[in-house]
Amino acid sequence: MLAVHLPTDLEHRLVRLAKKTGRSKSHYIKQALTSFLEDKEDYLLATQRFEEKNDTVSFDEAKKLIDLGD
């Protein structure tokens, strides 16, 4: 169990959404938290990979790699 104190305006928005859709507030909080965590985990993974392999290529090399021509 986790208790979270939300700013009043955010709680009102959440309550309105839950009432309009017939879903629980918990449903939307879980959805939002899942999305946030996935985004943060993806960001951290990308950052880690970038730091591990910091290969760079020139613009001309990149054009050749993706076959843009001259």
Side-chain angles (χ1 to χ4, degrees):
M1 173 89 174
L2 175 68
V4 177
H5 295 281
L6 299 175
T8 304
D9 60 325
L10 189 56
E11 184 175 2
H12 288 306
R13 290 172 60 194
L14 181 59
V15 168
R16 279 194 307 269
L17 179 63
K19 284 181 181 178
K20 281 185 177 183
T21 62
R23 297 267 192 175
S24 68
K25 294 183 290 182
S26 292
H27 167 79
Y28 288 110
I29 291 170
K30 287 176 195 171
Q31 229 180 14
L33 187 55
T34 298
S35 179
F36 173 82
L37 290 174
E38 287 173 353
D39 288 348
K40 285 297 179 183
E41 290 165 345
D42 287 347
Y43 171 79
L44 291 173
L45 181 60
T47 301
Q48 179 185 2
R49 294 270 168 81
F50 177 77
E51 289 172 355
E52 289 172 356
K53 186 177 181 187
N54 192 6
D55 292 338
T56 59
V57 295
S58 69
F59 181 69
D60 290 333
E61 289 173 299
K63 285 192 318 186
K64 289 177 188 174
L65 287 172
I66 57 175
D67 197 28
L68 289 179
D70 291 320

